[in-house]
Amino acid sequence: MELPPKVKNILLLDSEGKRVAVKYYSDDWPTNSAQEAFEKSVFTKTQKTNARTEVEVTALENNIVVYKFVQDLHFFVTGGEEENELILASVLEGLFDAVTLLLRSNVDKREALDNLDLIFLSFDEIIDGGIVLETDANVIAGKAGINSTDPNAPLSEQTISQALATAREHLTRSLMK
Amino acid sequence: MAQPLVKKDDDHDDELEYSPFMGIEKGAVLQEARVFNDPQVDPRRCSQVITKLLYLLNQGESFTKVEATEVFFSVTKLFQSKDTGLRRMVYLIIKELSPSSDEVIIVTSSLMKDMNSKIDMYRANAIRVLCRIIDGTLLTQIERYLKQAIVDKNPVVSSAALVSGLHLLKTNPEIVKRWSNEVQEGIQSRSALVQFHALALLHQIRQNDRLAVSKLVGSLTRGSVRSPLAQCLLIRYTSQVIRDMANHGQSGERPFYEFLESCLRHKAEMVILEAARAITELDGVTSRELTPAITVLQLFLSSPRPVLRFAAVRTLNKVAMTHPMAVTNCNIDMESLISDQNRSIATLAITTLLKTGNESSVERLMKQITNFMSDIADEFKIVVVDAIRSLCVKFPLKYRSLMTFLSNILREEGGFEYKRAIVDSIVTIIRDIPDAKESGLLHLCEFIEDCEFTYLSTQILHFLGIEGPNTSDPSKYIRYIYNRVHLENATVRAAAVSTLAKFGFMVESLKPRITVLLKRCIYDSDDEVRDRATLYLSVLGGDGTVDTDKESKDFLFGSLEVPLVNMETSLKNYEPSEEAFDINSVPKEVKSQPLAEKKAQGKKPTGLGAPPAAPASGFDGYERLLSSIPEFAAFGKLFKSSLPVELTEAETEYAVNVVKHIFDSHVVFQYNCTNTIPEQLLERVNVIVDASEAEEFSEVTSKALNSLPYDSPGQAFVVFEKPAGVPAVGKFSNTLTFVVKEVDPSTGEAEDDGVEDEYQLEDLEVVAGDYMVKVGVSNFRNAWESMDEEDERVDEYGLGQRESLGEAVKAVMDLLGMQTCEGTETIPLNARSHTCLLSGVYIGNVKVLVRAQFGMDSSKDIAMKLTVRAEDVSVAEAIHEIVASG
């Protein structure tokens, strides 16, 4: 029996249900077409809901799907029907906030595609083979947005420097307006 | 401040659909990947190309073997760059390409170097990549480093090693098991995630050692776990330990319950939910244990976070199936959720309310649901319809409002599955509640007037043919059926013709009119319709006296006595010749199906359209099965079949359970045997029964099972005779005897020589409850008052100390085997007294009603007053005897 909480997939779709980035950790959807079919049904089922302030949740094909939307991006995290919804929600929130940090609060499809490497790295840092690796958005963002020219800086400091960078970005932007 | 690897603020054109990947093509990207081979690596450029490759893979594009190998080899060249951002992308693409084992060699040295790098990020990721692509022999080489990594002072490295261990445990368990000491150390880590990963791995390593797991849980529940995720895990392990202990017969105070309860006060909601769910899922949970869990879930119901509301209502919904009374306290909160924005939550709330609601709230609920039905999706509607069906069975008196509701939604828009669920529900109600029959049939008739689903039309027509003729005024259905002949496609027309013929056959007065109608069908454009009409006309024709045609009528209108599968094979094997096909030559025995076929069957339709599954279960199924065996045909009508009783423990070589079939003067034991060993074929499987402790029984005959292949259940039978109409009881010991033959798993062929062997099964008892059939009455009070008061027998019993009232009620119900009426099987939380209404039919077709009043005093001593009324005084006395001796 598999007791540790398992995430079956993470989906990031656009406002038409098309893939921006997805990652599957379960054999429930062995082929690309099976995956696409699942994405389509998840998208259609949640399309009309308003998941912009709080994480929403639904049951689909014996799975629990938690989701949150921002601009033209739809984030989903799927787990088995026995899974603790709140664990899935913490994964989703971790991912969502990490992406927000990495994209400096400009979270939309265009920005996500421009920084797709960061999105892929966030996926990689949050779940490893279905097992939750990390849920703290700051840590994830710190690891994914790793500094290119200063390889010897320890991780913890990078997290802070990342946060500083974000803060500075915010400040300049608000001054420019 | 250095810029991370972000290609931001480039000159975006103001196109509407801007995408950096517009017009991307696999061939071109593969060309671009040659940049990896440049002597002077450009990190930024290379990262971009890797992102493009990942994008292609992510969009479902696949690389050929050659392409993947080529990309992989050039990617390995990038290890020479010192750029960390690029290195992260290299790790990522290696994992995605999942290279073959002969290719892995190329990167192992680079990755091993990174594993020992000073840079934490390199160490952590190199471990994850290496463990993903490595095989057993290489693993032994790096094992030392992995053990080191587990106790690394950097939590990220430590977690990477532990999680990799979890994955590797599946492929190389013997290696990972050697890491226990290091993993143990991880549990003490101050990092929340390391603790979580270490706990998961340590448990996985020890999972087959019950004692070790129990010790682990025992030591950790004393409170050294800090991370919420690890705490959730610990709760899961704890419930597993509780289950194991219960399975191994350790009774007494439930261990660790206090730990679960203390988790309800944890500060993380995730832990509270996990604990609440664990408590509700405990085997045989008592209402006292449930209460604190229900209380926290009730608080969740009014949370502003949808996930919390969903989690709570989903859990309560499950609890409502087993402990409806425990959930009633939440009904007010639940009712406000009916209008929840999130439709999943609303549906769960509705179905929970339908389960917990009492008779008086049905109408109010139905009104609320009606408003709600129009704006939810079909799949939710099906859930609601199913809940209404069970509600109707529970409160038969309310069938009128429920039926009205069903017929209303039947008329609205909806897909096939939804409509089928409604039709199935109406059919169930018609079958279970005789009063509902006429109105239900009319609703169905109206539905087929305007039904777009051929399948449903034919099924309803068939059902009308069975039920319609037995109603008070069969003629009113004829119009609906005959309309089908004019307005529908050929399949429905044919079904309508058959139904008409059934009316003509069953209702003598309608026969002339039906004949006229059928005559018109002879000119139909479709062969099948014409053929059926002609056939039925000739059967119905003549002067109406029952003559030599009786046999053919039975054949056409009665039920088919042979299994359809057998009929089909026989017909396929039949070669057209002078000799006519003889239905009597079709074997009546239900063959055990070969394994392959069974798997292919997959999902079966249930309800109206479901063919009887073979081997059948349920009373109808048993009756059909037994009547198909010639030896048993003379025993008369089957009175009752018990639920299967397991005679072997789970996971033994041979799984056997037994069903007791009670006839008037015989008892048939049906042993359902399953062979769980693929390498064995069992032949001549028989059960030797020792009835020395069952004096009134004498063995008549037994019927062995000829062959029992792997995983394909079969039945052996043993028959006992007992005095007619007497509820004889006794104890039987059973031994399974058989001949074992070895099977070659690759070819599936059995060897010729077998060895005789036997296998001891557990004992079986025939108890008084086996002679009682659960038969409900729709109005207990009326039924009770219609019975003669003179024949009432009253007595009082002390049931001793019990955990709760519910336990005592259940014990008495199980003992008597009677149907509880009017929802009295559910007991309010913390109740000190309760009245249970039971009804049933005792052997000899004697109707029995029981009113059992329970009371509990402060020391949990339970007393019961049992009032029995039966059509026969001796039976009433017999019931008291059962209770007194039980």
Side-chain angles (χ1 to χ4, degrees):
Chain A
M1 186 166 63
E2 289 260 14
L3 285 170
K6 276 278 206 178
V7 169
K8 289 190 177 183
N9 65 38
I10 299 182
L11 313 175
L12 177 53
L13 307 179
D14 72 5
S15 54
E16 284 158 17
K18 284 212 220 63
R19 266 183 204 176
V20 175
V22 297
K23 182 77 187 160
Y24 284 81
Y25 307 100
S26 138
D27 303 331
D28 293 6
W29 304 276
T31 62
N32 189 54
S33 48
Q35 297 177 350
E36 275 174 349
F38 178 76
E39 284 155 34
K40 185 158 188 279
S41 62
V42 171
F43 181 79
T44 344
K45 180 152 183 185
T46 58
Q47 198 177 10
K48 291 196 189 99
T49 57
N50 178 9
R52 293 182 185 270
T53 46
E54 291 284 350
V55 171
E56 283 286 347
V57 55
T58 188
L60 183 77
E61 301 166 8
N62 302 327
N63 290 306
I64 298 293
V65 184
V66 292
Y67 55 98
K68 191 167 180 185
F69 305 158
V70 62
Q71 306 274 7
D72 50 0
L73 285 180
H74 296 199
F75 292 75
F76 302 89
V77 171
T78 309
E81 93 187 301
E82 296 303 319
E83 203 43 82
N84 184 327
E85 295 86 339
L86 297 177
I87 295 183
L88 297 177
S90 76
V91 171
L92 177 68
E93 279 160 351
L95 172 74
F96 187 87
D97 294 346
V99 171
T100 313
L101 279 174
L102 287 167
L103 301 185
R104 294 151 191 223
S105 304
N106 278 343
V107 189
D108 58 22
K109 181 186 174 188
R110 177 161 161 166
E111 204 64 23
L113 284 174
D114 271 346
N115 298 290
L116 199 61
D117 47 352
L118 297 180
I119 307 276
F120 283 139
L121 288 173
S122 311
F123 280 18
D124 187 54
E125 289 296 349
I126 194 160
I127 300 289
D128 184 294
I131 296 172
V132 181
L133 199 56
E134 179 58 77
T135 54
D136 184 329
N138 285 307
V139 181
I140 298 165
K143 288 202 276 182
I146 205 146
N147 200 311
S148 211
T149 52
D150 188 7
N152 289 311
L155 277 171
S156 50
E157 277 185 45
Q158 277 176 14
T159 315
I160 295 166
S161 65
Q162 181 71 39
L164 274 175
T166 318
R168 180 180 303 174
E169 178 88 12
H170 272 290
L171 191 66
T172 20
R173 202 174 297 144
S174 56
L175 286 174
M176 306 261 282
K177 271 176 192 168
Chain B
M1 180 70 42
Q3 269 289 322
L5 191 83
V6 175
K7 308 165 292 269
K8 275 198 70 212
D9 299 334
D10 286 348
D11 45 341
H12 292 160
D13 301 330
D14 284 329
E15 295 171 58
L16 271 174
E17 259 298 313
Y18 166 80
S19 157
F21 303 104
M22 211 152 60
I24 191 169
E25 243 188 336
K26 186 172 89 171
V29 179
L30 288 173
Q31 286 281 342
E32 257 187 279
R34 296 202 175 143
V35 70
F36 300 160
N37 296 321
D38 285 356
Q40 207 57 38
V41 175
D42 175 354
R44 199 182 125 103
R45 178 89 198 282
C46 290
S47 290
Q48 281 171 351
V49 177
I50 293 180
T51 310
K52 282 188 189 169
L53 288 168
L54 287 171
Y55 175 82
L56 285 175
L57 286 170
N58 210 258
Q59 294 294 321
E61 189 84 61
S62 58
F63 293 165
T64 65
K65 184 83 189 84
V66 179
E67 287 165 349
T69 312
E70 204 165 295
V71 170
F72 176 74
F73 277 119
S74 44
V75 161
T76 58
K77 304 241 168 63
L78 297 177
F79 274 101
Q80 56 176 301
S81 166
K82 293 272 181 285
D83 187 286
T84 43
L86 176 58
R87 187 67 59 88
R88 282 293 276 118
M89 296 310 284
V90 170
Y91 293 141
L92 213 52
I93 187 96
I94 292 179
K95 278 197 270 190
E96 287 298 321
L97 289 172
S98 48
S100 60
S101 56
D102 49 330
E103 295 167 353
V104 168
I105 314 282
I106 313 285
V107 282
T108 29
S109 62
S110 305
L111 286 170
M112 276 164 77
K113 209 173 122 214
D114 283 359
M115 254 177 80
N116 295 298
S117 153
K118 284 203 185 59
I119 305 167
D120 295 335
M121 188 277 290
Y122 281 6
R123 287 212 302 285
N125 280 292
I127 290 170
R128 286 174 58 201
V129 177
L130 204 48
C131 291
R132 178 65 54 88
I133 60 180
I134 209 168
D135 65 4
T137 45
L138 269 174
L139 183 60
T140 42
Q141 286 180 38
I142 61 160
E143 191 188 352
R144 192 161 55 91
Y145 304 115
L146 288 176
K147 278 160 102 170
Q148 250 170 40
I150 292 177
V151 292
D152 196 292
K153 64 180 191 311
N154 185 308
V156 178
V157 178
S158 181
S159 276
L162 289 165
V163 172
S164 300
L166 276 169
H167 296 310
L168 287 171
L169 195 63
K170 287 178 202 125
T171 48
N172 298 288
E174 64 298 330
I175 296 178
V176 180
K177 279 182 182 158
R178 295 201 290 254
W179 308 349
S180 282
N181 288 337
E182 286 78 10
V183 179
Q184 186 95 47
E185 212 167 300
I187 293 193
Q188 308 305 328
S189 165
R190 271 182 306 158
S191 152
L193 268 302
V194 173
Q195 198 174 46
F196 163 61
H197 294 133
L199 180 58
L201 182 53
L202 192 63
H203 176 268
Q204 211 85 313
I205 290 176
R206 297 189 178 165
Q207 60 179 344
N208 294 322
D209 183 352
R210 257 186 349 112
L211 205 66
V213 171
S214 156
K215 251 163 85 183
L216 175 71
V217 168
S219 69
L220 290 177
T221 45
R222 282 194 282 278
S224 55
V225 178
R226 277 173 303 271
S227 129
L229 274 174
Q231 191 80 359
C232 288
L233 213 48
L234 186 57
I235 291 170
R236 292 187 191 181
Y237 299 155
T238 308
S239 5
Q240 201 189 25
V241 169
I242 294 176
R243 236 189 338 267
D244 275 352
M245 285 175 137
N247 283 347
H248 289 81
Q250 296 181 7
S251 57
E253 190 76 350
R254 206 193 285 282
F256 300 124
Y257 172 77
E258 264 166 34
F259 165 70
L260 293 181
E261 209 226 319
S262 73
C263 289
L264 293 175
R265 295 184 291 275
H266 198 276
K267 60 182 184 304
E269 282 161 339
M270 168 194 298
V271 177
I272 301 177
L273 172 67
E274 191 74 45
R277 218 170 252 176
I279 290 176
T280 61
E281 283 166 9
L282 289 175
D283 288 333
V285 61
T286 64
S287 11
R288 197 160 50 101
E289 288 169 325
L290 264 180
T291 316
I294 302 286
T295 313
V296 296
L297 291 172
Q298 186 174 7
L299 286 176
F300 282 179
L301 285 179
S302 45
S303 159
R305 293 179 63 195
V307 183
L308 269 182
R309 295 198 300 273
F310 179 83
V313 75
R314 190 160 79 104
T315 314
L316 291 171
N317 187 300
K318 271 200 195 134
V319 178
M321 290 183 199
T322 48
H323 297 79
M325 294 312 289
V327 184
T328 42
N329 282 344
C330 309
N331 276 6
I332 296 185
D333 304 83
M334 207 89 79
E335 279 185 32
S336 62
L337 290 184
I338 294 181
S339 52
D340 200 294
Q341 285 279 314
N342 185 319
R343 282 323 186 181
S344 306
I345 296 176
T347 314
L348 283 166
I350 291 259
T351 49
T352 315
L353 284 168
L354 287 175
K355 281 175 204 145
T356 58
N358 48 29
E359 200 146 3
S360 57
S361 67
V362 169
E363 257 121 26
R364 191 162 47 93
L365 260 178
M366 298 313 291
K367 214 167 152 192
Q368 271 174 305
I369 299 174
T370 314
N371 300 331
F372 157 90
M373 284 301 264
S374 55
D375 51 29
I376 54 169
D378 269 11
E379 56 169 313
F380 288 143
K381 292 181 183 165
I382 293 173
V383 179
V384 174
V385 168
D386 284 343
I388 287 175
R389 163 167 43 183
S390 36
L391 190 70
C392 200
V393 175
K394 198 161 123 202
F395 301 123
L397 285 180
K398 292 289 168 197
Y399 80 87
R400 217 163 294 220
S401 59
L402 295 169
M403 186 70 99
T404 318
F405 175 80
L406 288 174
S407 67
N408 280 338
I409 55 174
L410 192 55
R411 262 180 244 129
E412 278 158 23
E413 287 292 300
F416 172 69
E417 290 296 332
Y418 174 45
K419 292 282 157 114
R420 189 166 85 175
I422 304 173
V423 170
D424 278 355
S425 298
I426 295 183
V427 167
T428 314
I429 296 171
I430 292 175
R431 281 199 184 132
D432 287 359
I433 306 168
D435 295 343
K437 192 165 163 185
E438 307 240 337
S439 64
L441 286 178
L442 275 177
H443 288 310
L444 291 178
C445 283
E446 267 163 38
F447 174 59
I448 53 171
E449 289 277 277
D450 187 20
C451 170
E452 53 187 312
F453 306 108
T454 303
Y455 175 85
L456 287 180
S457 293
T458 51
Q459 293 297 321
I460 290 174
L461 283 168
H462 176 75
F463 185 68
L464 274 176
I466 297 169
E467 297 289 343
N470 303 323
T471 53
S472 58
D473 181 16
S475 64
K476 67 180 168 199
Y477 303 107
I478 301 296
R479 179 172 62 87
Y480 294 103
I481 302 168
Y482 189 63
N483 276 347
R484 298 304 100 217
V485 180
H486 288 298
L487 304 166
E488 294 281 359
N489 61 41
T491 318
V492 179
R493 291 204 301 275
V497 166
S498 296
T499 307
L500 280 179
K502 270 183 205 150
F503 274 82
F505 172 70
M506 309 274 282
V507 187
E508 199 56 40
S509 60
L510 286 177
K511 195 187 245 183
R513 283 148 72 193
I514 298 268
T515 314
V516 176
L517 292 177
L518 283 179
K519 272 186 185 143
R520 291 193 199 152
C521 300
I522 302 180
Y523 305 107
D524 196 279
S525 59
D526 185 78
D527 295 356
E528 175 73 20
V529 181
R530 285 198 305 271
D531 286 355
R532 285 198 193 189
T534 318
L535 171 69
Y536 290 128
L537 272 176
S538 70
V539 175
L540 287 174
D543 46 15
T545 50
V546 181
D547 50 32
T548 45
D549 269 352
K550 183 166 185 323
E551 225 171 64
S552 58
K553 282 180 184 170
D554 274 351
F555 176 66
L556 285 172
F557 301 115
S559 65
L560 196 59
E561 279 168 3
V562 289
L564 278 179
V565 198
N566 298 358
M567 180 81 172
E568 193 183 339
T569 18
S570 299
L571 278 172
K572 272 186 190 153
N573 294 338
Y574 172 68
E575 306 239 341
S577 62
E578 290 291 302
E579 204 177 324
F581 180 77
D582 181 10
I583 185 128
N584 293 324
S585 69
V586 180
K588 287 184 174 181
E589 266 176 79
V590 180
K591 276 202 209 103
S592 57
Q593 288 160 323
L595 186 62
E597 225 174 279
K598 215 173 64 185
K599 280 192 180 143
Q601 272 182 343
K603 274 190 207 158
K604 279 199 191 125
T606 47
L608 188 64
S617 56
F619 188 76
D620 287 349
Y622 288 136
E623 200 173 17
R624 209 173 303 127
L625 175 71
L626 292 174
S627 65
S628 73
I629 300 171
E631 290 94 318
F632 305 158
F635 296 167
K637 195 168 156 39
L638 178 61
F639 178 71
K640 179 187 178 173
S641 296
S642 75
L643 292 172
V645 182
E646 296 296 335
L647 296 182
T648 51
E649 295 211 2
E651 292 159 31
T652 46
E653 297 103 311
Y654 314 111
V656 180
N657 65 39
V658 66
V659 179
K660 296 171 271 184
H661 300 292
I662 310 288
F663 289 90
D664 191 41
S665 56
H666 292 87
V667 176
V668 177
F669 296 139
Q670 173 187 339
Y671 295 91
N672 298 312
C673 312
T674 313
N675 169 10
T676 61
I677 308 177
E679 298 82 22
Q680 284 190 359
L681 170 70
L682 305 187
E683 290 193 341
R684 281 182 279 150
V685 181
N686 205 357
V687 181
I688 307 295
V689 183
D690 175 11
S692 52
E693 287 179 68
E695 287 158 6
E696 288 174 277
F697 293 86
S698 57
E699 184 166 337
V700 184
T701 171
S702 68
K703 196 166 179 316
L705 182 63
N706 286 333
S707 156
L708 184 64
Y710 164 63
D711 203 22
S712 174
Q715 299 101 26
F717 296 90
V718 178
V719 184
F720 282 88
E721 193 167 25
K722 65 171 185 65
V726 173
V729 296
K731 194 171 175 185
F732 303 82
S733 60
N734 310 294
T735 314
L736 192 69
T737 65
F738 46 82
V739 177
V740 190
K741 289 189 175 175
E742 296 282 323
V743 174
D744 184 341
S746 52
T747 60
E749 277 174 35
E751 282 176 19
D752 292 337
D753 301 328
V755 186
E756 282 194 32
D757 199 357
E758 57 175 51
Y759 189 83
Q760 187 63 43
L761 302 174
E762 282 176 25
D763 291 349
L764 157 73
E765 273 188 274
V766 172
V767 295
D770 287 330
Y771 297 99
M772 178 74 77
V773 185
K774 286 185 177 183
V775 177
V777 287
S778 56
N779 189 328
F780 191 86
R781 180 195 279 267
N782 281 353
W784 181 261
E785 277 163 10
S786 68
M787 291 238 205
D788 197 349
E789 210 172 316
E790 297 287 301
D791 297 345
E792 183 174 293
R793 289 289 177 273
V794 190
D795 209 343
E796 287 181 17
Y797 301 88
L799 302 180
Q801 277 195 345
R802 301 276 176 154
E803 186 57 39
S804 70
L805 211 51
E807 198 189 310
V809 172
K810 192 172 175 307
V812 172
M813 270 157 44
D814 286 349
L815 183 67
L816 291 176
M818 298 174 76
Q819 175 74 43
T820 44
C821 303
E822 305 186 356
T824 52
E825 72 272 26
T826 54
I827 301 136
L829 267 185
N830 303 326
R832 311 213 67 88
S833 64
H834 183 70
T835 302
C836 209
L837 307 174
L838 304 167
S839 85
V841 170
Y842 201 59
I843 191 158
N845 272 333
V846 184
K847 212 165 160 195
V848 187
L849 296 175
V850 171
R851 186 185 285 234
Q853 286 156 294
F854 296 85
M856 180 163 73
D857 69 10
S858 55
S859 59
K860 296 206 165 179
D861 267 320
I862 293 181
M864 175 179 72
K865 181 180 174 194
L866 196 71
T867 318
V868 184
R869 286 188 186 183
E871 284 166 344
D872 183 339
V873 189
S874 63
V875 172
E877 278 161 2
I879 301 290
H880 276 291
E881 257 170 57
I882 296 175
V883 176
S885 60

